[in-house]
Amino acid sequence: MIRIDVDMDKCQHYGQCVFEAPEVFQLNADDKLEYVAEAPDEMLGDLEAAADVCPMQAILITKA
Amino acid sequence: MDAPLLIVGASMAGLRTAEGARRAGYSGPIRFLGAEEHAPYNRPPLSKELLQTPGHGHAEVAFPIRSALEEGVEWMLGRPATALDTARQVVTDARGDEHAYSALVIATGLRPKPLPIDGHGLTGIHVLRTIDDAVALRDSLRPGANVVILGSGFVGCEIAATAAKNGATVSIVTQSRVPLERALGPLLGAEMRRRHEAHGVRFFCGESLFGLVGDPAVERVILTSGVMLECDVLVVAVGSDPNTEWLQGSGLDVSDGVLVDGGLRAIGVDGTVHPQIFAVGDVARYPNPLFDDVARRVEHWNLPTETGKRAGQLIAAQLAGDDCEPLAAAGFAPLPSFWSDQYDAHVLAFGMTYLADRSELVAGSLDDECIVEYYRGDALVGVCGIGMRGAVQAYRSKFAVPARQ
């Protein structure tokens, strides 16, 4: 499994990650980021891409 | 041993290229040759968090090095490149050492344009591009300091917001009619001016520097209109120049950054493609079929990643001996995106807003949350929002490469 951590002190809810991995990241009705904390290994590429495009560099992806 | 994939510029774009090459199957040696002493780091916080947080440095902004780059990667930092010999496939560094390459990535980025008038060696004059620049500027941004910022682009405006929040007295001197004029146009530019002024920032628009007074540190600046401003700290934020001097005489077209094709492969002054030389990030000049066929340098934050990933694919194919032409011909049409945090305004934009000849408020109100569309003729070329992120994100799908006639 892959573990997803978002530093919510850094996150400014720009939502760039949503475009790369919509299965994991979403903006809710108030435009705030919501995400799931675990994802299957085959999503590694998408999740790294989501971490890459985060303007605040708030997303940490680790292989559990 | 095979010559390495040589990446000149230990930058975000260089890092993403190396990751992209690994992801595309290249497992050979990689060497980074970096002018700065630091491993790749994220620059946007330099005008914000790092500028206002004592003690913050490289550790707070460094990019994590992924497991794919833990092996077979050599970091040679603090060694600017000085020359490229394409015939011998060798780069020379400032120590005179030569570095052979199998493929070369040019990721040397930009440097700030200097003070446009003679500074007479005065101290207290700053630019902002590197961590070292940010730390030096931070140390001088004391509460009550008179800070004059020359230039009203994103760097200048973000420094102004940070300095004003920290209790400095801030003035922006700009030749533009409104701040952020080129990137955001007159509507949002005027609104950003209003927001800055609400935090005490003063604007001197349509103005330039005439002279400086002080010894040994700057004490006052004189504007062309004759206005004189108290000044303890002068920040020069009037744009950037590409770092391509080391490529003079190499045969590459470096008339404004490094000209590349849709595969990010360097093009020579004679028009030929160099299949093993790539340019990525701010220093690369390439056409984007989302907009037109004009090759441009685009300095937005997401493009080092987009160009790096793309170049990485071609490098892996090239070094595996595969035919790169189909991959290169597939075209490269990244959607530029940028954002800016100034006070409580979170600005998010997509596209090339500065190609527009008009902009139009389409949702919300300028003094709160809003969306502005940018048009060149009838074509949408950009969108920018303050807040309203979900609605701004939804615009991504409106930018598409036109079907061939």
Side-chain angles (χ1 to χ4, degrees):
Chain A
M1 293 295 281
I2 297 165
R3 188 178 160 76
I4 299 117
D5 290 291
V6 180
D7 182 338
M8 294 310 290
D9 289 334
K10 280 189 181 175
C11 174
Q12 295 291 345
H13 313 277
Y14 279 107
Q16 305 287 74
C17 51
V18 175
F19 192 74
E20 300 292 344
E23 304 89 341
V24 167
F25 301 101
Q26 293 200 334
L27 289 180
N28 68 18
D30 294 327
D31 279 350
K32 300 292 182 198
L33 182 73
E34 293 179 352
Y35 67 101
V36 294
E38 280 191 341
D41 286 348
E42 54 266 29
M43 285 199 64
L44 181 65
D46 289 348
L47 291 168
E48 287 186 343
D52 286 352
V53 299
C54 172
M56 312 316 291
Q57 291 290 291
I59 301 172
L60 186 65
I61 303 298
T62 37
K63 272 196 154 177
Chain B
M1 200 184 96
D2 289 344
L5 164 60
L6 180 64
I7 300 180
V8 181
S11 58
M12 179 186 190
L15 179 66
R16 297 294 181 237
T17 307
E19 290 171 350
R22 280 281 193 262
R23 199 175 300 123
Y26 174 69
S27 57
I30 298 175
R31 176 179 293 180
F32 282 92
L33 195 60
E36 286 185 67
E37 296 284 352
H38 306 290
Y41 61 90
N42 194 29
R43 296 189 194 276
L46 301 188
S47 57
K48 307 184 230 8
E49 296 84 358
L50 199 132
L51 199 54
Q52 62 185 354
T53 316
H56 272 208
H58 183 258
E60 281 71 26
V61 292
F63 288 115
I65 301 300
R66 299 215 169 109
S67 55
L69 296 183
E70 280 169 3
E71 307 234 340
V73 179
E74 213 179 345
W75 297 91
M76 305 185 84
L77 304 177
R79 299 172 71 148
T82 55
L84 164 64
D85 183 333
T86 59
R88 291 174 53 227
Q89 297 202 187
V90 162
V91 170
T92 306
D93 72 21
R95 298 185 192 176
D97 291 343
E98 292 194 332
H99 306 266
Y101 60 83
S102 54
L104 171 67
V105 177
I106 298 166
T108 40
L110 313 173
R111 64 175 179 285
K113 285 183 190 289
L115 184 70
I117 62 172
D118 188 348
H120 298 290
L122 294 186
T123 60
I125 302 173
H126 295 259
V127 294
L128 181 58
R129 175 73 184 174
T130 66
I131 285 187
D132 299 345
D133 293 339
V135 169
L137 179 56
R138 179 176 71 203
D139 291 344
S140 61
L141 287 182
R142 294 174 303 279
N146 290 301
V147 178
V148 175
I149 296 166
L150 186 64
S152 62
F154 284 111
V155 173
C157 285
E158 289 177 359
I159 295 170
T162 303
K165 277 193 293 188
N166 288 358
T169 300
V170 181
S171 302
I172 291 181
V173 175
T174 175
Q175 295 182 337
S176 305
R177 289 166 295 180
V178 295
L180 299 164
E181 184 173 32
R182 185 166 165 267
L184 298 187
L187 279 179
L188 272 179
E191 171 56 21
M192 293 309 293
R193 173 175 179 163
R194 190 192 67 77
R195 292 179 186 232
H196 277 277
E197 286 176 338
H199 289 82
V201 175
R202 292 186 300 167
F203 281 85
F204 297 87
C205 293
E207 284 269 28
S208 329
L209 271 193
F210 178 75
L212 308 178
V213 180
D215 181 23
V218 61
E219 293 169 14
R220 283 185 291 282
V221 301
I222 304 165
L223 309 187
T224 41
S225 64
V227 168
M228 194 178 288
L229 300 172
E230 296 292 316
C231 180
D232 308 308
V233 181
L234 174 61
V235 184
V236 181
V238 289
S240 307
D241 290 316
N243 289 320
T244 52
E245 284 74 9
W246 66 284
L247 298 169
Q248 294 297 337
S250 66
L252 303 185
D253 183 336
V254 292
S255 46
D256 175 26
V258 181
L259 181 64
V260 295
D261 70 1
L264 299 168
R265 302 177 299 182
I267 297 175
V269 287
D270 58 1
T272 59
V273 171
H274 290 252
Q276 64 288 93
I277 303 178
F278 299 79
V280 293
D282 292 334
V283 79
R285 180 163 61 97
Y286 51 90
N288 187 333
L290 281 181
F291 303 96
D292 51 35
D293 56 6
V294 179
R296 295 185 182 87
R297 289 193 301 107
V298 183
E299 299 177 8
H300 295 321
W301 180 85
N302 73 317
L303 293 167
T305 295
E306 296 282 348
T307 54
K309 283 182 177 172
R310 168 86 169 148
Q313 288 178 334
L314 274 104
I315 290 165
Q318 171 73 20
L319 294 180
D322 296 342
D323 178 11
C324 288
E325 295 314 318
L327 202 52
F332 179 56
L335 180 61
S337 78
F338 59 91
W339 87 98
S340 183
D341 297 319
Q342 296 170 41
Y343 313 108
D344 55 357
H346 298 295
V347 175
L348 174 64
F350 292 104
M352 303 245 251
T353 50
Y354 41 81
L355 297 180
D357 46 50
R358 66 189 165 93
S359 60
E360 196 177 315
L361 178 69
V362 293
S365 71
L366 286 170
D367 61 0
D368 183 27
E369 297 201 329
C370 62
I371 296 178
V372 172
E373 293 178 347
Y374 295 81
Y375 289 90
R376 179 169 62 180
D378 293 331
L380 181 75
V381 290
V383 62
C384 181
I386 299 179
M388 306 186 79
R389 295 183 194 87
V392 179
Q393 290 283 354
Y395 272 84
R396 283 174 180 268
S397 59
K398 293 181 190 266
F399 298 93
V401 179
R404 290 209 179 133
Q405 301 279 311

